């Protein structure tokens, strides 16, 4: 069986006495442009309270609203993408390929669209439950749980019906982003992957050397 909690990969947390869960991030973190927010999110924790399920954010992609042809908000505000137009710090969940959900967080001041896609997590706590969510038989490899946007949504039970619009900064929310003092270290920036429009834009951010990132690691 998988351990319930795994130690963090290097670089280590700034304060190793801090537990697997930390403190809620503030809404101010999400007021900046998507590429700035993306960098700030690396090393933070995505937390599903209750179980809990905890994963460290190790790979993200920035999407730049109405100026970005790859963004869901490129054509303007609709009922489907309204979360991306604010307020910041809320979950935008969409369905892709008729089989996977993908999780984003809204950023920029309210009224200006922007978002960051969560591409991969390093699983920290609740690994057995993550494996169940992924439909994997135990023991499952930790690297198969949350490396990829569709996989991490399965592992955390994230769906549009359940989580779209969830406030990542609210104490009562069961889907949160927390800070446990982890120091992100070196960040690599590459073109976004898995898209056809504006695919060469350098807007994919990942923790250098982390074994849980998805896709191309260079």
């Amino acid at each position: 069986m998988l351990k319930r909690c795994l130690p963090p990969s290097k670089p280590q947390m700034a304060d190793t006495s801090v537990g697997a869960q930390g403190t809620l991030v503030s809404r101010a973190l999400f007021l900046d442009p998507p590429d700035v927010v993306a960098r700030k999110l690396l090393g933070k924790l995505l937390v599903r309270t209750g179980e809990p399920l905890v994963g460290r954010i190790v790979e993200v992609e920035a999407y730049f609203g109405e100026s970005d042809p790859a963004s869901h908000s490129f054509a303007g505000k609709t009922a489907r993408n309204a979360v991306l137009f604010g307020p910041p710090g809320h979950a935008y969940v969409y369905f892709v390929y008729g089989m996977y959900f993908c999780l984003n967080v809204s950023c920029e001041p309210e009224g200006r669209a922007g978002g960051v896609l969560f591409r991969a997590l390093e699983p920290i706590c609740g690994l057995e439950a993550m494996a169940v969510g992924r439909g994997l038989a135990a023991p499952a490899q930790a690297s198969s749980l949350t490396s990829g946007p569709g996989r991490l949504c399965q592992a955390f039970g994230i769906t549009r019906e359940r989580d779209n619009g969830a406030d990542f900064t609210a104490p009562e929310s069961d889907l949160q982003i927390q800070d446990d003092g982890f120091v992100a270290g070196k960040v690599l920036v590459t073109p976004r992957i898995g898209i056809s429009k504006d695919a060469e834009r350098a807007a994919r951010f990942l923790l250098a050397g982390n074994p849980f990132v998805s896709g191309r690691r260079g």
Side-chain angles (χ1 to χ4, degrees):
M1 293 293 290
L2 287 166
K3 294 180 180 178
R4 179 177 175 80
C5 296
L6 294 180
S9 61
K10 294 181 179 181
Q12 298 292 332
M13 292 184 292
D15 179 357
T16 55
S17 67
V18 178
Q21 289 181 260
T23 58
L24 273 174
V25 298
S26 71
R27 196 171 311 285
L29 185 148
F30 304 102
L31 288 171
D32 289 316
D35 53 341
V36 177
V37 174
R39 285 182 176 272
K40 291 180 179 180
L41 284 172
L42 289 175
K44 301 294 190 294
L45 299 174
L46 180 67
V47 178
R48 173 75 82 184
T49 62
E51 175 69 24
L53 306 176
V54 183
R56 192 173 305 285
I57 301 166
V58 299
E59 180 188 356
V60 290
E61 283 180 346
Y63 288 86
F64 299 87
E66 294 174 280
S67 67
D68 183 352
S71 171
H72 283 197
S73 51
F74 179 63
K77 186 176 181 180
T78 66
R80 178 183 181 233
N81 67 21
V83 172
L84 291 173
F85 287 81
H90 287 251
Y92 170 59
V93 183
Y94 63 86
F95 198 51
V96 64
Y97 304 134
M99 58 193 330
Y100 299 117
F101 290 100
C102 293
L103 176 67
N104 305 254
V105 59
S106 59
C107 50
E108 300 267 22
E110 186 168 2
R112 187 186 307 166
V116 175
L117 170 69
F118 297 89
R119 282 203 57 89
L121 308 173
E122 177 179 341
I124 302 294
C125 281
L127 278 70
E128 297 95 336
M130 292 183 195
V132 171
R134 290 272 294 114
L136 301 175
Q141 293 292 322
S143 60
S144 68
L145 297 177
T146 54
S147 296
R151 287 181 173 186
L152 71 86
C153 283
Q154 289 177 332
F156 274 66
I158 292 168
T159 67
R160 182 170 174 86
E161 181 179 20
R162 179 181 182 182
D163 298 299
N164 192 57
D167 187 350
F168 285 115
T169 70
E172 66 275 11
S173 175
D174 76 341
L175 193 63
Q176 302 176 353
I177 296 175
Q178 299 184 9
D179 186 348
D180 67 346
F182 182 88
V183 178
K186 183 179 179 181
V187 173
L188 296 182
V189 184
T190 79
R192 297 179 294 196
I193 59 178
I195 58 174
S196 58
K197 298 177 180 178
D198 203 13
E200 293 307 310
R201 187 186 293 223
R204 174 178 173 246
F205 302 85
L206 57 147
L207 294 184
N210 189 280
F212 295 94
V213 300
S214 69
R216 300 192 299 271
R217 288 161 170 76

